[in-house]
Amino acid sequence: MLRAFVQIVSLAGFNSFLLAHIGNVHCEGPDAEKSTGVAPVAEPKKVCHAEHTVEDEYSLHMPLDLKCDACRIVAYVLTEGFKNVSEKAKARSKTKQRRTFAEHQILEFVENTCSHKGYFKKYGLVVVNKTRRLSGRGLETYRNTGVWTGGLWPMRLSSMCTQYTGELGEWEVFHAWENGQYLEDFICRNEEMPHICPPLSQLLTAN
Ligand SMILES: *[C@@H]1O[C@H](CO)[C@@H](O)[C@H](O)[C@H]1NC(C)=O
Ligand SMILES: *[C@@H]1O[C@H](CO)[C@@H](O)[C@H](O)[C@H]1NC(C)=O
């Protein structure tokens, strides 16, 4: 049923050239003008797609409405990376003890992970519940079809990764992970960072 509301975003969306706004979802079909904020019961003719703005097309900045998703992706990729590097180090060490990393190793590792476009290339844009979202591993919006990948999304995610880890400190981020902190909270709901994601309590009641 959800599939009816999901459509690959058209690349040819240049019609909003003068009105560059962000976060718009466009619906066509019955009730197209009504914006109740509530997803209607199955109406197969109605199709929603993310309006493709000038900013989406050219700007290297992550659009505001997608920042939280993007940050959560960054946290997911870094968590995966830290797991990988720690497991590899453990496998190599004869004593099977947790290996300690030098700060410069972590700095280099985080920089490499963030600039590795391959980790971010499968993420893309999707419309879920009339809201445009990023989709990919680590997010509940993950799906195999209807995702518009490519374009500048991998580059934006990569640069956000570099920016956030730079602001919080690569070593501090690693340390938080090592101490069992959930990186999504540490990076995206950190009081030292400007409200990238709403607090979890708010998120859970948002629907
Ligand atoms: C971690 O390892 C998995 C499995 O080998 C791989 O698929 C993934 O891309 C790696 N991720 C990072 C960020 O290193
Ligand atoms: C979409 O809305 C439904 C109904 O409120 C909810 O169960 C579902 O989790 C939402 N999907 C996403 C990806 O947020």
Side-chain angles (χ1 to χ4, degrees), residues 58-204:
Y58 300 110
S59 172
L60 275 179
H61 287 108
M62 184 60 70
L64 270 181
D65 59 313
L66 297 172
K67 263 206 166 141
C68 177
D69 279 350
C71 184
R72 293 173 60 206
I73 292 169
V74 167
Y76 177 81
V77 168
L78 286 172
T79 300
E80 235 193 4
F82 291 149
K83 266 188 213 154
N84 289 354
V85 77
S86 297
E87 267 160 30
K88 262 186 220 151
K90 219 192 310 185
R92 254 187 269 122
S93 117
K94 291 194 177 78
T95 61
K96 297 283 172 207
Q97 275 185 348
R98 194 154 75 175
R99 193 191 138 179
T100 50
F101 293 94
E103 194 164 339
H104 76 269
Q105 290 175 301
I106 291 303
L107 185 71
E108 197 179 332
F109 177 77
V110 169
E111 279 174 0
N112 288 341
T113 303
C114 286
S115 59
H116 193 299
K117 303 281 187 308
Y119 294 141
F120 299 106
K121 74 169 185 243
K122 287 187 177 159
Y123 290 96
L125 203 57
V126 79
V127 175
V128 181
N129 292 347
K130 285 193 171 185
T131 307
R132 62 176 203 161
R133 300 281 308 269
L134 290 176
S135 170
R137 294 181 63 209
L139 294 184
E140 66 283 355
T141 50
Y142 184 32
R143 62 180 72 234
N144 293 316
T145 56
V147 181
W148 183 70
T149 53
L152 292 176
W153 299 115
M155 210 190 288
R156 289 189 189 107
L157 287 165
S158 167
S159 87
M160 276 182 73
C161 183
T162 303
Q163 184 198 329
Y164 292 157
T165 52
E167 276 171 32
L168 287 165
E170 292 83 355
W171 180 248
E172 283 71 17
V173 173
F174 175 71
H175 218 65
W177 173 79
E178 235 187 354
N179 289 330
Q181 280 203 57
Y182 188 39
L183 282 193
E184 189 177 305
D185 286 340
F186 185 75
I187 302 174
C188 314
R189 300 185 184 90
N190 191 318
E191 280 170 11
E192 289 172 31
M193 302 280 275
H195 299 292
I196 302 165
C197 287
L200 267 184
S201 53
Q202 225 172 299
L203 208 66
L204 290 172

